[in-house]
Amino acid sequence: MKNLSAALLCTVFLFSAAGCGIQDRLTDLVNTGDPEVSEEPSLAPRVYMDEIRGIVKDFTGNHLLIVKDETVYNFDVSQADLECQGGIITGDTINVIYEGRLTSTDTSTVKALKVVDAYHNKTELKEKKTYGQVQGFTENTITLKSRSGKTATYPITGTEQYYQGGIRAGSWVYLHFRGSFGEPLSDDPNLLNARHLKVLSVSDIDPMKIPEPTPTPAPQDQKEQQKEQLLRGIIQGVNMNILQVAPVNSDTVLNLDISSIPCHFSGGLSSGARVKITYTGKFNGTSTEGISILGVTGEIPEPQKKSAVSFTVSGEITGSTANTVTILSYDGIPLTFHTDTAVNNSTGGLLTGSSVRLTFNPADSRDSNIYTCTKIEDA
């Protein structure tokens, strides 16, 4: 038993001595910076990011063409965020932020992350004006032919319009816009590409000045003239001078001839937008027979709450980015919408080729050609 106790005491002594030696060695390594102790190098690859500034040449919904020093770059922006305050307007200067290393003009080696307004850009787009004869007119487009023979179809979704003498084929109007015409869409030099301009206003008078509402006649005057009345309706569509309106709470669709009556559409003529029709006579509930239409006034979108917005556009999806979707409207114009805050009730998953109806408020895009979508539905 005495021998066992002695052995145990010797073992404890040896471990204690060894422990003191290890502690001293660690202390020496810390104090002397022995090269035997070193951190392992990080295995994570280094991410290289850069940006390029250029002038917008074209935009297809998921590809963006810009020009820098007369060189064209074609970026796949399908996974990028579009954060340009003025939208994607041909002739405007923007920056593309990307990941990777750009070799010459080969953009396939990089990943576009963001498209943003050019930092400290001093070349702000100036407002321009054209004067043209109406060749075509729909919810989202107006086609004008200038005195020099140039023809262009302009996007007018959400654009304020006032026609003092009505709108019809052959009438002359002023159109204010920002941007430059894009690449020609055909070999015809007289056909201009206005697809990615921002149209600010259209009117048959310039400057556009909306008259004050006609005061209601005093009772003594009502015996001498017919009393003006109001009919509230919802826009169903428009084709040149024929505006289709459904009276509120009615399945009837009225075809209004607006070729020679004053019309003011503060937020454009999108389907679903509400209008007021001023008329005299007796409305029979099904047609315009027996009434004289004096004017049509659209709703003002600025005070609209999000839940009350009724402006809509329908079309087929042609491309998308991380926060936008681009459609080709049923009247043939490409339109881009921010979708990151929209309620999506569609069943197509926003895939290319899906038909959708987008609700938006024109007040959010007075200076931009990218609209803010509030709701997405199947068309």
Side-chain angles (χ1 to χ4, degrees), residues 54-374:
I55 298 174
V56 176
K57 180 181 179 68
D58 197 11
F59 177 60
T60 64
N62 50 20
H63 278 81
L64 174 66
L65 276 71
I66 65 172
V67 179
K68 179 183 180 181
D69 299 330
E70 299 184 353
T71 301
V72 179
Y73 297 83
N74 185 350
F75 285 94
D76 179 350
V77 292
S78 58
Q79 300 180 60
D81 287 307
L82 303 190
E83 298 181 357
C84 298
Q85 187 175 2
I88 304 293
I89 302 174
T90 45
D92 197 9
T93 303
I94 52 91
N95 281 18
V96 178
I97 302 173
Y98 59 86
E99 177 183 290
R101 292 182 179 274
L102 186 60
T103 304
S104 184
T105 60
D106 183 11
T107 59
S108 65
T109 61
V110 302
K111 177 183 177 181
L113 303 176
K114 288 181 183 291
V115 181
V116 299
D117 293 315
Y119 185 63
H120 283 171
N121 181 23
K122 297 181 180 180
T123 58
E124 183 178 351
L125 288 178
K126 295 181 179 180
E127 182 174 321
K128 303 176 183 178
K129 179 175 68 174
T130 187
Y131 185 59
Q133 187 178 41
V134 178
Q135 307 294 303
F137 185 64
T138 67
E139 292 177 49
N140 302 293
T141 70
I142 187 168
T143 302
L144 303 181
K145 185 176 182 179
S146 68
R147 287 174 172 168
S148 63
K150 304 290 185 181
T151 300
T153 297
Y154 298 85
I156 56 172
T157 303
T159 299
E160 183 171 20
Q161 301 163 58
Y162 175 61
Y163 307 107
Q164 181 177 252
I167 180 72
R168 60 195 175 278
S171 58
W172 289 80
V173 298
Y174 298 90
L175 184 144
H176 289 251
F177 67 97
R178 289 197 180 100
S180 303
F181 293 103
E183 289 294 297
L185 298 174
S186 73
D187 295 332
D188 186 352
N190 290 319
L191 186 61
L192 305 179
N193 178 4
R195 287 186 166 195
H196 298 299
L197 301 179
K198 175 55 186 177
V199 178
L200 304 172
S201 65
V202 186
S203 179
D204 55 358
I205 59 173
D206 192 63
M208 182 173 64
K209 184 176 181 180
I210 313 302
E212 295 295 328
T214 303
T216 302
Q220 60 270 22
D221 297 331
Q222 293 181 9
K223 296 180 181 180
E224 302 176 4
Q225 60 182 2
Q226 288 182 302
K227 181 181 178 180
E228 292 185 3
Q229 302 184 70
L230 284 179
L231 174 64
R232 299 179 186 275
I234 300 173
I235 294 177
Q236 305 298 302
V238 61
N239 187 3
M240 195 57 77
N241 60 297
I242 301 300
L243 177 65
Q244 294 181 316
V245 176
V248 174
N249 300 323
S250 173
D251 295 329
T252 299
V253 176
L254 305 176
N255 292 316
L256 309 182
D257 185 351
I258 57 174
S259 61
S260 58
I261 61 174
C263 301
H264 178 216
F265 305 104
S266 177
L269 289 105
S270 298
S271 294
R274 294 175 282 266
V275 294
K276 296 178 182 178
I277 303 167
T278 306
Y279 71 96
T280 58
K282 187 175 181 180
F283 177 50
N284 61 21
T286 59
S287 71
T288 58
E289 293 183 8
I291 66 173
S292 296
I293 298 175
L294 306 179
V296 180
T297 305
E299 63 183 321
I300 299 175
E302 269 72 11
Q304 296 293 321
K305 295 181 179 179
K306 185 175 181 179
S307 59
V309 172
S310 59
F311 295 82
T312 67
V313 177
S314 297
E316 184 177 292
I317 296 177
T318 59
S320 61
T321 71
N323 64 336
T324 69
V325 65
T326 297
I327 67 170
L328 183 65
S329 69
Y330 291 146
D331 45 4
I333 201 77
L335 301 168
T336 300
F337 295 80
H338 281 298
T339 57
D340 44 357
T341 60
V343 176
N344 187 359
N345 295 324
S346 67
T347 59
L350 300 185
L351 298 177
T352 299
S354 299
S355 295
V356 292
R357 179 171 62 249
L358 308 175
T359 302
F360 71 102
N361 189 341
D364 297 331
S365 54
R366 292 296 193 187
D367 295 313
S368 173
N369 66 349
I370 298 183
Y371 307 90
T372 301
C373 180
T374 59

